[in-house]
Amino acid sequence: MTVVARRGTDRRLHPAWIVAAVAFLALVGAAGFRAAPSVLMVPITDEFGWSRSVLSAAVGINLLLFGLTAPFAAALMERFGIRRVTTIALTVVAAGSALSVLVTSPWQILLTWGLLIGLGTGSMALVFAAMVTDRWFVARRGLVSGILTAGSATGQLIFLPVVAWLAEGAGWRTASLVVAGGALAVVPLVARFLRDRPSDVGVLPYGATEEPPARAVVGNPARRAVRALLDAARVRTFWALVVGFAICGATTNGLVGVHFVPSAHDHGMPQTTAATLLAVVGIFDIAGTIASGWLTDRVDPRLLLGAYYAFRGVALLFLPALLSDALHPSIVVFVVVYGLDWVATVPPTIALCREVFGDRGPLVFGWVFAAHQIGAGAASVAAGAIRDATGEYTAAWFGAAGLCAVAAVLSVGIARRSAPVTG
């Protein structure tokens, strides 16, 4: 197949942008469940009488598998193709959400919310965005990684108010089925338009002037993922990124993403109001993440990470004083600040992985993202336990603020331009 570059007077849309658009929609579809636990936790607890700790454990398993699956999913995408893995992952997410309507005991919610959806969303995690960006783009990589990362926020924005409204009106089971439908709806688009590599459609990556060297991927995907981890573990930058991203996960998906709505409900705020606030986080997350991608192409990624974590920590310090039974401007300010900062950390982290670890960057980012979700899972469980033990979330918010200070210091001190780890 002849591979050509589209540039100069050729004004046709480069296929990379079509692939990026479909990848964005796939991330939106997979993000439905990311919005669900925070608004389904209260109605499920009311129906079955389960404690917050039980449902927090289910979400914790989900978040843990979401992360631990990611590096192996990256290796599977390299071995079997992005399109095939993505299609299967979306189907598994839909199955887990649909089957959750049949639960009658805690182990079943651990199986559906935890195991199935964790494996499915883990295979559609941010390594998917890193893989698409790395294969299809040479120019505008930071911007594209920011746009794709915002796909999860867009999914939250779309699903969260709908799920909250359905849970309150039609019931949480109907809301779960809508989440399942959202994941399945994207599958035909993925099957039709998502291509594994630019060479599949006879073009170069966007911004490339020559074809990148072909790299055959053979062997066991799990072994390749583990080998990437063992090699990366010898580099100090990897551990700085791991600790920082674990704190990122703890203070976003694990704490605010899961427990903001129940905490606001504890203060007397209606659940739909709290869910709307969390959806507004998604609106500003889109703007913040795309802006972060643009900045990553121009500013030292270490400085960006340090600033993001510092702002997040300050916001968390004020949150316990801002929650109340009514909607005040101060809580709206918190939502805006937190939204701009939510996953703005992803583009600079992907950039540092690519810079330090070369063509293994997406695989290494898979392990860094695994740390993100380990932090998220631990925070989800810990915050639920704190709430059950003390009757409030205050200690969880303050503890998370302290962790953000640690992440800011670590990020600024990251060493750059180490010898790439390739192979």
Side-chain angles (χ1 to χ4, degrees):
M1 177 183 291
T2 302
V3 178
V4 299
R6 290 191 177 178
R7 62 185 192 275
T9 59
D10 190 344
R11 297 184 180 275
R12 289 176 293 169
L13 182 67
H14 193 287
W17 294 108
I18 298 174
V19 169
V22 174
F24 180 88
L25 291 175
L27 287 165
V28 170
F33 185 79
R34 303 262 66 81
S38 61
V39 294
L40 299 185
M41 189 174 288
V42 172
I44 291 176
T45 299
D46 291 343
E47 178 175 335
F48 294 106
W50 300 337
S51 69
R52 294 275 177 93
S53 295
V54 168
L55 294 177
S56 295
V59 177
I61 292 170
N62 171 281
L63 294 172
L64 183 63
L65 288 175
F66 185 40
L68 292 179
T69 304
F72 298 100
L76 286 170
M77 287 179 185
E78 286 191 339
R79 180 70 176 83
F80 299 109
I82 296 174
R83 176 168 54 179
R84 186 178 302 175
V85 173
T86 302
T87 299
I88 294 172
L90 287 166
T91 304
V92 172
V93 171
S97 188
L99 289 173
S100 70
V101 306
L102 305 176
V103 302
T104 57
S105 61
W107 72 265
Q108 293 167 340
I109 203 73
L110 297 177
L111 176 65
T112 54
W113 275 25
L115 180 63
L116 286 179
I117 297 178
L119 291 173
T121 53
S123 300
M124 275 291 302
L126 294 178
V127 290
F128 170 63
M131 187 76 70
V132 170
T133 302
D134 191 65
R135 286 190 178 182
W136 282 89
F137 292 85
V138 171
R140 308 297 177 87
R141 276 177 167 169
L143 177 63
V144 173
S145 66
I147 292 172
L148 293 183
T149 301
S152 293
T154 304
Q156 176 177 299
L157 170 63
I158 292 171
F159 282 103
L160 189 54
V162 175
V163 171
W165 178 74
L166 287 172
E168 191 168 89
W172 67 268
R173 290 179 175 82
T174 300
S176 295
L177 292 175
V178 168
V179 170
L184 281 180
V186 189
V187 170
L189 290 175
V190 170
R192 174 65 179 85
F193 294 106
L194 190 64
R195 294 291 182 267
D196 293 326
R197 298 179 182 277
S199 57
D200 293 347
V201 291
V203 299
L204 297 178
Y206 181 81
T209 56
E210 59 183 16
E211 188 172 3
R215 186 166 62 94
V217 178
V218 296
N220 189 309
R223 186 175 301 164
R224 293 194 70 252
V226 173
R227 184 73 259 171
L229 171 63
L230 295 176
D231 290 343
R234 298 198 298 264
V235 181
R236 289 182 61 186
T237 296
F238 172 75
W239 292 108
L241 290 171
V242 159
V243 174
F245 226 44
I247 292 171
C248 178
T251 53
T252 52
N253 301 72
L255 185 57
V256 175
V258 176
H259 292 284
F260 177 81
V261 173
S263 180
H265 186 267
D266 287 345
H267 285 77
M269 183 179 291
Q271 182 163 289
T272 51
T273 302
T276 300
L277 285 173
L278 198 55
V280 172
V281 169
I283 296 175
F284 287 92
D285 184 12
I286 296 169
T289 307
I290 293 174
S292 179
W294 182 84
L295 286 170
T296 298
D297 290 330
R298 295 162 174 80
V299 180
D300 186 337
R302 300 171 303 169
L303 300 180
L304 292 176
L305 287 175
Y308 297 156
Y309 288 128
F311 279 119
R312 185 180 300 176
V314 171
L316 285 169
L317 279 177
F318 285 99
L319 181 58
L322 302 179
L323 290 171
S324 69
D325 59 355
L327 191 61
H328 297 292
S330 55
I331 192 65
V332 176
V333 171
F334 168 84
V335 164
V336 170
V337 171
Y338 221 81
L340 291 171
D341 195 79
W342 185 266
V343 286
T345 54
V346 174
T349 302
I350 291 176
L352 286 168
C353 286
R354 185 187 305 115
E355 179 180 305
V356 176
F357 300 104
D359 58 8
R360 275 190 177 177
L363 275 178
V364 174
F365 178 71
W367 286 110
V368 174
F369 182 73
H372 182 280
Q373 296 309 115
I374 291 171
S380 172
V381 174
I386 288 171
R387 166 61 173 76
D388 285 343
T390 66
E392 59 183 23
Y393 286 99
T394 302
W397 303 128
F398 286 159
L403 289 175
C404 286
V406 173
V409 172
L410 283 174
S411 298
V412 172
I414 287 174
R416 296 187 70 186
R417 306 191 186 283
S418 303
V421 179
T422 60

